[in-house]
Amino acid sequence: MSTVPQFQALLSAKASDVRYRKDSSLIPCPCRTPEGFRDPEWHIANPTEPICNEAGFLADPNATVDITVKAFMQPIQSTRATRLSTEQLIQMFGDIQADDHLGIFPVEWAGKTLDFYEWGSSAEDFVVYHGRRFTVVNANLIPDPDDGNPYHHWEVGARLISDAPL
Amino acid sequence: MPTAVRLDFVPPTQPDIAELHAEEGPTKDGSFVEIYQTTSVGVYPNYLSYVTVPAQNPNDWFRIYWVNNQGAIGPYSEPVQGGTTTLVQTIVDRVMLRNPALNEIIVTQTAEWVIASTLNVADPYDPTLEASYAQLEGMTLLTMGWSMFSTMSLGTTESYTAGLVSQSSGSKTTSGIDEIKTILETAAKILGISYSVIFQMRDNCIAGGTVIPSGIDQSRLLVEIR
């Protein structure tokens, strides 16, 4: 029997509110160069055109998930988190930095699916916890030990990118 | 002229109940005649828990039985005398007041055993049974503790470890077991049934004398009762 409902109940009862935002837009902006880079000068020359993200894609409301979920966010330097093995920490963060957090997230919440793979490296994708914005530097999708369902929960390494939500 | 008498009982657990019949008799073991029947028994699992019946004599004895939708007749209830409350019902009411989450059928069965064993009687429904306030409280706690134990044994404990998440939940919690132990110990103290006895075989007799043991010979331990 799946343990996902049990885990979801735990999140609902004990976890923190965390905003999850991921833009999976695949609409290329006309500014993109033949090499695939974003061209800011094109936007200066075309001020009426919509501004793309830092990866050179235009916003796509249908491909953006922006919801508040229940998740555990633990400072990696806290007592409990430092019980993790050194290998786990290195695998997750590389060199640990101040304000790195370990996040435990559901795979589905309120009918939306969370996907930390292919996380945008240009700050268009982020999570907000306690008013601070984090990016994800590593993510592991953990399977359900009871029935082998690959989508039990996410364990992610979160790195601070801003003290402001957005 | 018939007199209205209210009969309280524990609802059945079967899902296909269609009728309820009530009978009246002059004595507990006498001949009973049907005085009431109804098909308005409620809907599973919320069947009737009481009815008001027209009795010839409110101090007569009453019993009920259920019939399912196939016409099969269930067993008769224990006869109860009108105008009285059995000790079983008193204990059940006290337990349900303290822990409404318990299953009333389990509580009733446990109360029967607790009364029979505590007061050393064969019939816990005997209307002449009396209990002191201390016995009432003790039997209430004992019934509640054992009922909680029975209910807990039906529960499940789910525990798993997935990655960094380790979770355990369910009704079989350590705190729940501790709570039941405390209730049972308290009940035992109130009822004065807390005792510990160790039986041992007689000392070895060697050459007409008795050896003096320098320690406890566990090999002679027969049984230990707590």
Side-chain angles (χ1 to χ4, degrees):
Chain A
M1 190 176 71
S2 173
T3 60
V4 172
Q6 198 176 337
F7 176 65
Q8 296 257 350
L10 177 70
L11 289 172
S12 297
K14 308 287 186 184
S16 308
D17 287 333
V18 180
R19 180 184 169 196
Y20 166 96
R21 185 187 187 281
K22 186 176 186 198
D23 179 5
S24 301
S25 168
L26 294 176
I27 303 173
C29 181
C31 76
R32 286 166 68 103
T33 65
E35 294 79 16
F37 295 109
R38 180 175 186 259
D39 184 1
E41 292 183 1
W42 184 90
H43 284 282
I44 294 172
N46 300 274
T48 59
E49 295 295 324
I51 305 296
C52 60
N53 65 25
E54 295 178 32
F57 292 100
L58 294 171
D60 180 0
N62 295 325
T64 301
V65 178
D66 190 348
I67 59 170
T68 298
V69 302
K70 287 286 189 181
F72 294 107
M73 288 286 281
Q74 190 82 12
I76 203 62
Q77 293 176 328
S78 70
T79 305
R80 189 159 186 87
T82 51
R83 292 178 188 170
L84 300 176
S85 68
T86 305
E87 289 79 7
Q88 277 180 307
L89 294 175
I90 291 175
Q91 178 262 339
M92 191 164 281
F93 293 98
D95 291 333
I96 293 177
Q97 299 179 12
D99 299 314
D100 279 352
H101 278 56
L102 173 68
I104 296 178
F105 285 77
V107 176
E108 286 194 7
W109 195 263
K112 301 284 187 181
T113 300
L114 277 61
D115 184 3
F116 288 96
Y117 288 151
E118 299 177 9
W119 196 257
S121 58
S122 52
E124 72 273 22
D125 301 336
F126 56 84
V127 294
V128 178
Y129 167 64
H130 194 221
R132 308 169 88 193
R133 192 151 39 110
F134 295 81
T135 189
V136 169
V137 294
N138 184 276
N140 290 315
L141 182 59
I142 307 298
D144 190 326
D146 219 49
D147 60 9
N149 170 19
Y151 306 101
H152 189 270
H153 70 270
W154 289 98
E155 293 175 358
V156 305
R159 179 152 287 161
L160 183 70
I161 52 178
S162 170
D163 277 332
L166 188 58
Chain B
M1 182 176 175
T3 306
V5 172
R6 172 177 162 140
L7 302 177
D8 291 277
F9 41 79
V10 178
T13 54
Q14 293 87 347
D16 55 357
I17 296 297
E19 299 174 30
L20 168 68
H21 296 251
E23 295 183 349
E24 179 181 354
T27 62
K28 182 179 180 182
D29 301 318
S31 58
F32 284 81
V33 294
E34 183 165 304
I35 57 171
Y36 178 82
Q37 79 169 71
T38 182
T39 54
S40 302
V41 294
V43 180
Y44 176 81
N46 301 312
Y47 291 127
L48 289 176
S49 60
Y50 74 90
V51 289
T52 302
V53 299
Q56 294 302 317
N57 182 347
N59 294 321
D60 272 354
W61 290 74
F62 302 89
R63 66 184 185 185
I64 63 164
Y65 65 90
W66 303 85
V67 180
N68 72 11
N69 56 16
Q70 301 297 311
I73 299 173
Y76 284 108
S77 68
E78 282 288 328
V80 294
Q81 190 172 16
T84 62
T85 301
T86 63
L87 200 50
V88 172
Q89 190 59 50
T90 302
I91 297 295
V92 171
D93 290 345
R94 291 171 62 101
V95 171
M96 297 307 293
L97 181 65
R98 287 158 176 76
N99 190 342
L102 287 174
N103 183 315
E104 191 171 352
I105 295 171
I106 292 177
V107 173
T108 303
Q109 293 171 348
T110 311
E112 293 169 348
W113 165 74
V114 167
I115 293 168
S117 58
T118 303
L119 301 182
N120 195 24
V121 295
D123 181 10
Y125 289 94
D126 184 346
T128 63
L129 287 179
E130 291 182 353
S132 66
Y133 287 122
Q135 286 175 319
L136 274 181
E137 183 62 16
M139 289 192 290
T140 301
L141 290 178
L142 198 56
T143 303
M144 185 167 70
W146 279 110
S147 299
M148 290 168 68
F149 184 70
S150 300
T151 305
M152 177 177 285
S153 67
L154 299 174
T156 57
T157 299
E158 294 285 342
S159 62
Y160 69 88
T161 299
L164 298 175
V165 176
S166 181
Q167 191 178 2
S168 177
S169 67
S171 57
K172 292 180 181 177
T173 60
T174 303
S175 61
I177 293 172
D178 289 345
E179 184 183 354
I180 291 174
K181 283 178 66 177
T182 304
I183 291 172
L184 293 178
E185 286 172 3
T186 306
K189 284 180 183 175
I190 294 174
L191 295 172
I193 58 175
S194 178
Y195 56 87
S196 177
V197 179
I198 297 176
F199 293 101
Q200 284 192 306
M201 295 173 65
R202 293 178 61 183
D203 287 338
N204 295 326
C205 180
I206 301 174
T210 301
V211 296
I212 301 173
S214 58
I216 298 173
D217 184 359
Q218 293 287 355
S219 66
R220 292 187 294 110
L221 181 66
L222 288 181
V223 64
E224 181 175 348
I225 301 172
R226 290 186 183 278

